[in-house]
Amino acid sequence: QRDGHVALRGLLPPEDVRKLRAAVLEVRQRKELDAKRHALRICLGTGWDEASEASAEEVEQLFRERVEGQGTAAFLQYFNLWRESDVIAKIAMAVGTAAAALLGTPRVRLYGDALFVKRPGDEPTGWHTDMEHVPLDTSTFVTLWIPLQPVPAAEDGGSPLLFVDGSQHWGGEAEGPIPELRSHGPLSLGDATAHLGDAMHAAPELGPGIVEERCALALNFFRDGAKRRPLPHQEGDEEDEEREAYQAWVEEVPVGAPARHRFLPEVTAATAAPAKELPRRRAVQQTPTRQEETGPSTARQTV
């Protein structure tokens, strides 16, 4: 609650992360076209319907000619993989108990997941908060960010998440001088980070000499009982870049009603470890970043 983010060292055994990675990459293959449609919306401003109705050939051509290698993409994003994999769903439920302990609530629900793939040559991910794109009226929302391979520190060319301490109290906008940037890199296989929905975060580009993609699965949880709301700062959600995360349930949950749906499964914390038994937090290190001079802004990209 003080900093808005924390490291969870050894959240998962390395063998579980290997199984998770295999399952994620299998689902990723099936969702590749959807990820490219999403990239067209983000990078080119293509409308939701226009991108959805474009043929596979049109999507591939636009992506190849106007996105790939053009310095416009910060990552590729794949939504809700847990719905297509028992392995991913089982691990999501398991770490959900840690999310409940971090939030100090006996019951949480899985909001969703997203795979973020940052490739060599991709742009830095801009500063933002997750709650900008979440149609829930709650401050009790947490993201567990689980790398699917070791992540070097930013100064060594890696792309861990970057945070600003206490930014969850800013209301999504920076005020005054920017405090020091923080990171929890390097991250070993099995490590994760957690951040509140209103905490501002970003990620640097991969450094020179890094030739492999950085893949991370973000799992989002919220306190059971949170109510549906319209998205902030928008007339509607028709063109929201994160619409794919919630479109399967949002029309079936009225504004003002508790957000309960089969696509928002409940995780009980009856067997959750007490907070003191969670993996211990290491001292947060100040991390110089290749985009440090930019500071937080209201960029709408999501890590």
Side-chain angles (χ1 to χ4, degrees), residues 37-164:
R37 293 184 194 276
H38 181 256
L40 297 184
R41 298 182 185 109
I42 300 298
C43 300
L44 305 182
T46 306
W48 180 272
D49 290 339
E50 182 182 358
S52 299
E53 294 169 3
S55 69
E57 293 76 12
E58 290 171 329
V59 171
E60 293 287 356
Q61 181 176 355
L62 282 171
F63 184 85
R64 182 173 60 253
E65 295 179 353
R66 301 187 59 188
V67 177
E68 191 73 34
Q70 300 300 310
T72 59
F75 48 75
L76 288 178
Q77 184 173 359
Y78 307 74
F79 292 92
N80 288 315
L81 288 74
W82 72 272
R83 297 178 188 169
E84 299 188 25
S85 168
D86 290 341
V87 171
I88 300 172
K90 184 178 295 185
I91 290 178
M93 294 298 105
V95 300
T97 57
L102 287 168
L103 293 174
T105 183
R107 293 185 303 277
V108 296
R109 290 181 178 272
L110 176 65
Y111 175 78
D113 68 44
L115 170 66
F116 293 95
V117 178
K118 187 172 285 293
R119 304 159 299 166
D122 281 348
E123 292 292 294
T125 304
W127 291 93
H128 65 283
T129 71
D130 293 342
M131 291 306 293
E132 297 170 34
H133 305 287
V134 175
L136 297 178
D137 186 11
T138 183
S139 60
T140 314
F141 185 101
V142 67
T143 296
L144 305 185
W145 192 82
I146 305 174
L148 301 181
Q149 70 289 301
V151 176
E155 60 264 35
D156 294 325
S159 182
L161 295 189
L162 307 174
F163 303 97
V164 179

Side-chain angles (χ1 to χ4, degrees), residues 159-275:
S159 182
L161 295 189
L162 307 174
F163 303 97
V164 179
D165 289 351
S167 59
Q168 71 271 24
H169 303 300
W170 292 1
E173 297 182 1
E175 297 181 0
I178 301 303
E180 294 179 347
L181 305 184
R182 302 288 182 176
S183 174
H184 299 289
L187 297 166
S188 300
L189 197 65
D191 290 349
T193 62
H195 61 269
L196 294 176
D198 287 316
M200 297 194 75
H201 55 286
E205 74 276 20
L206 294 170
I210 302 295
V211 298
E212 295 184 356
E213 299 174 333
R214 186 270 278 151
C215 299
L217 185 68
L219 295 163
N220 316 111
F221 300 89
F222 65 95
R223 178 185 56 81
D224 181 39
K227 295 180 180 179
R228 160 102 152 81
R229 68 166 181 179
L231 283 174
H233 315 304
Q234 297 193 40
E235 294 297 327
D237 62 11
E238 291 81 6
E239 294 300 330
D240 179 56
E241 66 187 53
E242 298 291 308
R243 174 178 163 186
E244 194 172 344
Y246 52 78
Q247 65 173 349
W249 60 266
V250 73
E251 295 299 328
E252 298 178 26
V253 179
V255 171
R260 292 175 179 144
H261 192 276
R262 66 185 182 280
F263 287 138
L264 302 170
E266 181 181 352
V267 182
T268 62
T271 58

